[in-house]
Amino acid sequence: HMNTRHEVIAFCLTLPDSYEDYPFHDANWTVMRYRKNNKGFAFVYKRDGRIWINVKCSPDWAEVWRRTFPAVMPAYHMNKQHWNSIILDGSMDDQDVQTMIAESYRLISQNKHHS
């Protein structure tokens, strides 16, 4: 199971034009961004002894993910209508985590006008 920051970053870097950033003067927060608009699609940090990832979701899907997986909840420190937190506690398949990251990437890379 994906459970380290390194594994999350490595997966994110497989998405085209993505790069890793540390914008908060806090080494705990890694932001994976899309080079063409510099928007973040995965915010990776450690909290309560686990790695968490904040990902963007369409509002229709945000609630579905939360109902489906106990490890997914409204995003810590971000707009809860559009962002979820994934807690890497081993309860989700890597495929599901990767799907959520890839969907976040798709939303921020296609979406030109809304933050």
Side-chain angles (χ1 to χ4, degrees), residues 78-113:
M78 293 179 82
N79 179 318
K80 295 177 183 351
Q81 188 187 354
H82 292 277
W83 292 83
N84 275 341
S85 289
I86 306 168
I87 306 169
L88 297 184
D89 61 4
S91 65
M92 287 176 73
D93 286 340
D94 287 354
Q95 185 66 58
D96 293 317
V97 175
Q98 291 172 359
T99 296
M100 291 186 73
I101 294 170
E103 175 64 5
S104 180
Y105 170 89
R106 187 185 70 79
L107 288 167
I108 66 96
S109 63
Q110 287 185 345
N111 192 335
K112 304 287 185 281
H113 303 295

Side-chain angles (χ1 to χ4, degrees), residues 50-95:
R50 303 228 183 252
I51 294 295
W52 293 44
I53 315 166
N54 289 359
V55 292
K56 192 163 195 179
C57 328
S58 68
D60 312 340
W61 271 93
E63 190 58 43
V64 174
W65 287 112
R66 292 170 201 166
R67 281 201 305 267
T68 306
F69 298 107
V72 176
M73 60 190 53
Y76 174 63
H77 270 332
M78 293 179 82
N79 179 318
K80 295 177 183 351
Q81 188 187 354
H82 292 277
W83 292 83
N84 275 341
S85 289
I86 306 168
I87 306 169
L88 297 184
D89 61 4
S91 65
M92 287 176 73
D93 286 340
D94 287 354
Q95 185 66 58

